[in-house]
Amino acid sequence: MRQLLSSEERARLAVISSIVRFKKGDVIYHQGHRANAVFNIISGVVKAYQTTSDGSKHITAFLFPDDLFGLSDEGWYTNSTMTVTPVIAYQLPMSALRSRLSRDAGLEFHVICKLCQELRQAQHHAFLLARRHALSKMALFLQLLEQLQAARDEPTTEIYLPMNRSDIGEYVGTSLEAVSRAFRGLTATGIIEFRDRSHLKILDRDAFEKIASETN
Amino acid sequence: MRQLLSSEERARLAVISSIVRFKKGDVIYHQGHRANAVFNIISGVVKAYQTTSDGSKHITAFLFPDDLFGLSDEGWYTNSTMTVTPVIAYQLPMSALRSRLSRDAGLEFHVICKLCQELRQAQHHAFLLARRHALSKMALFLQLLEQLQAARDEPTTEIYLPMNRSDIGEYVGTSLEAVSRAFRGLTATGIIEFRDRSHLKILDRDAFEKIASETN
DNA sequence: CGTTTAATTGAGGAAAGTCAAGTGAAGTGG
DNA sequence: CCACTTCACTTGACTTTCCTCAATTAAACG
């Protein structure tokens, strides 16, 4: 099951949703604010993050087309979200979604599936963050992006990096300089190749997988 | 809501469950095996982990009394679990649980809550792993243990460490030596105090919180 | 085309990893 | 009950890696 919603369910929800547009860098909602709506990305990329008291950001996830976000228990957003690119999304009022859910068992099941998927992603993220070496972290990160691209039926000859180096660093748990150096390392050894700053290709798949699977 | 199940629901499930006992170090189930049963801890502590191809372990969670584990989509366990202490648990056959769930909307809701809770924990784990300094990781880890103790209505004057240093290291993403040194550091500065290897007290709460909240 | 922002690169220092030795605790068998 | 074995933990010395700060280059934008 690739998509959260079947086209039929999507249509049912479209009735109660509106389409919203954000430009790059817009904050969609803030952590701690009342959760009034849930969003379903049509196009673009969003980052979910948490800000600590000392001002540093920790990115918990990148969200792509078809991803649902803004779900919250207790009715308050548990993180903040900001667009990484221009974004078009469905905005579903929480109240409408709630009444829809209670009458629609199929939808509820899909929400459970969505939660399972989010859980798997969070665990994968933890797995990535546990790596000691920046090279290994980056390889796992690129693997993730590639898998997500494939899941969206996009071509995987190239990996697309919509986010900047700083965002990558905040996701993989290193400085942005370390991200840059890791890319340089992978490029220098001929494992990857950049077409431009946000497009790369994996040249040596074996060496790439080896680095990704190395704990050390 | 502290417990996954109300005592009433617990009673309903008890009918279809059996009680199993494990001694310290027993493997409850293996990653990749067919998921035949779900477990609900009565007493003791369990660790959930994933083994990488090169033999290293990554601990994804520690599970305590009232925790439910062994849930899996697709019917295959996605991680391995091993006891950290002797454990007594309810074992619920998957088939029985499945038929129970479809007839019992309240239970399904609780499973959703359980998933949300697991998700929050996984995100907290990622948050912890993103910390650069071992001291900060350890402080967050101790905070987590303390919160879980409080959630179980156990006294929080002392924090109990049922797992060994190696397990802690595999959870917080450092070597076991680093765990030891971090404890030494916190002890030397009078922030914590050990009664024995697995019991400690927080003496300087302010300094403790400060370290826990420091990103750096 | 100039200005601003993003990314790269270098040098020095701090932190944690690794390896190895030593200490302490717990459990076993005589 | 005590000596002995074993395992868990601690501690030290050395090495590696990454972070920080700073300077430079490259790209994006008005």
Side-chain angles (χ1 to χ4, degrees):
Chain A
M1 191 201 62
R2 201 200 107 222
Q3 290 193 330
L4 170 64
L5 306 172
S6 67
S7 52
E8 188 210 347
E9 286 167 339
R10 187 180 296 276
R12 268 184 282 162
L13 279 179
V15 179
I16 56 170
S17 68
S18 54
I19 289 182
V20 284
R21 283 156 209 276
F22 300 96
K23 56 181 190 296
K24 179 176 172 175
D26 278 356
V27 172
I28 298 180
Y29 58 75
H30 265 112
Q31 179 173 10
H33 284 194
R34 189 96 206 127
N36 300 311
V38 168
F39 299 87
N40 191 353
I41 303 180
I42 298 170
S43 72
V45 181
V46 172
K47 62 181 176 188
Y49 60 95
Q50 301 201 297
T51 28
T52 31
S53 47
D54 62 343
S56 80
K57 286 201 303 185
H58 169 67
I59 293 184
T60 53
F62 291 106
L63 304 156
F64 295 91
D66 276 322
D67 276 339
L68 192 77
F69 64 97
L71 281 174
S72 59
D73 42 6
E74 312 292 326
W76 302 89
Y77 291 124
T78 57
N79 55 24
S80 304
T81 48
M82 183 190 282
T83 59
V84 167
T85 65
V87 164
I88 307 176
Y90 291 111
Q91 176 170 11
L92 315 170
M94 204 56 194
S95 54
L97 181 70
R98 199 183 299 273
S99 65
R100 239 330 179 225
L101 271 178
S102 59
R103 277 177 292 147
D104 198 328
L107 259 184
E108 188 175 46
F109 177 73
H110 278 301
V111 170
I112 292 182
C113 290
K114 171 64 191 165
L115 280 172
C116 288
Q117 182 198 320
E118 260 193 74
L119 180 60
R120 271 200 304 277
Q121 281 213 17
Q123 286 175 344
H124 181 271
H125 190 196
F127 188 67
L128 184 163
L129 285 166
R131 294 300 169 91
R132 283 157 190 167
H133 298 292
L135 275 177
S136 187
K137 289 184 176 194
M138 289 310 304
L140 279 177
F141 178 66
L142 294 177
Q143 250 184 1
L144 173 69
L145 287 183
E146 193 180 36
Q147 282 165 19
L148 292 177
Q149 267 180 228
R152 276 176 273 124
D153 290 330
E154 292 170 12
T156 52
T157 47
E158 272 191 344
I159 298 175
Y160 173 45
L161 300 170
M163 68 294 288
N164 62 29
R165 301 293 186 258
S166 172
D167 286 340
I168 297 174
E170 279 160 24
Y171 184 80
V172 302
T174 64
S175 63
L176 68 149
E177 292 94 334
V179 172
S180 188
R181 280 187 252 267
F183 279 143
R184 179 154 54 116
L186 290 172
T187 306
T189 48
I191 295 173
I192 64 170
E193 184 185 47
F194 275 88
R195 178 159 65 82
D196 59 42
R197 281 183 173 176
S198 52
H199 293 272
L200 64 94
K201 207 190 294 192
I202 297 175
L203 299 178
D204 186 344
R205 176 65 62 172
D206 286 350
F208 181 79
E209 301 291 346
K210 186 150 172 279
I211 289 175
S213 66
E214 268 169 2
T215 310
N216 220 6
Chain B
M1 192 201 61
R2 200 200 109 221
Q3 291 192 328
L4 169 63
L5 307 172
S6 67
S7 52
E8 189 209 348
E9 286 166 338
R10 187 180 297 275
R12 268 184 281 162
L13 281 178
V15 179
I16 56 170
S17 69
S18 55
I19 289 182
V20 284
R21 281 156 211 277
F22 300 97
K23 56 180 190 298
K24 180 175 171 176
D26 279 356
V27 172
I28 298 180
Y29 58 74
H30 266 112
Q31 178 173 11
H33 284 194
R34 190 96 207 127
N36 301 311
V38 168
F39 299 87
N40 191 351
I41 302 179
I42 298 170
S43 72
V45 181
V46 171
K47 62 181 176 188
Y49 60 95
Q50 303 201 296
T51 29
T52 30
S53 47
D54 62 342
S56 80
K57 287 201 304 185
H58 169 66
I59 293 184
T60 53
F62 291 106
L63 303 157
F64 295 90
D66 277 321
D67 276 340
L68 193 76
F69 65 97
L71 282 174
S72 59
D73 42 5
E74 313 291 326
W76 303 90
Y77 290 124
T78 56
N79 56 22
S80 305
T81 49
M82 182 189 282
T83 59
V84 167
T85 66
V87 164
I88 307 175
Y90 290 112
Q91 176 170 10
L92 314 170
M94 205 54 195
S95 53
L97 181 70
R98 201 184 298 275
S99 65
R100 219 30 174 177
L101 273 178
S102 58
R103 275 177 293 147
D104 198 327
L107 262 184
E108 188 175 45
F109 177 73
H110 278 301
V111 171
I112 293 182
C113 290
K114 171 64 190 167
L115 279 172
C116 288
Q117 183 198 320
E118 262 193 73
L119 180 60
R120 270 200 305 276
Q121 282 213 18
Q123 286 176 343
H124 181 270
H125 190 195
F127 188 67
L128 184 163
L129 285 166
R131 294 301 170 90
R132 283 159 191 164
H133 297 292
L135 275 177
S136 186
K137 288 183 176 194
M138 288 309 305
L140 278 177
F141 178 67
L142 293 177
Q143 250 185 1
L144 173 68
L145 286 183
E146 193 179 37
Q147 282 165 17
L148 292 177
Q149 268 181 225
R152 277 176 272 123
D153 291 330
E154 292 170 12
T156 52
T157 47
E158 271 190 345
I159 297 176
Y160 173 45
L161 300 170
M163 67 295 287
N164 62 31
R165 303 292 186 261
S166 172
D167 286 340
I168 297 175
E170 279 160 24
Y171 184 81
V172 304
T174 64
S175 63
L176 68 150
E177 293 94 332
V179 172
S180 189
R181 280 186 253 266
F183 279 144
R184 179 153 54 113
L186 290 172
T187 306
T189 48
I191 296 173
I192 64 170
E193 183 185 47
F194 274 88
R195 178 160 66 80
D196 60 41
R197 280 182 173 176
S198 52
H199 293 272
L200 65 92
K201 206 191 292 191
I202 296 173
L203 298 178
D204 187 344
R205 177 64 63 171
D206 286 350
F208 181 80
E209 301 291 345
K210 187 151 171 278
I211 289 176
S213 65
E214 269 170 0
T215 309
N216 220 5

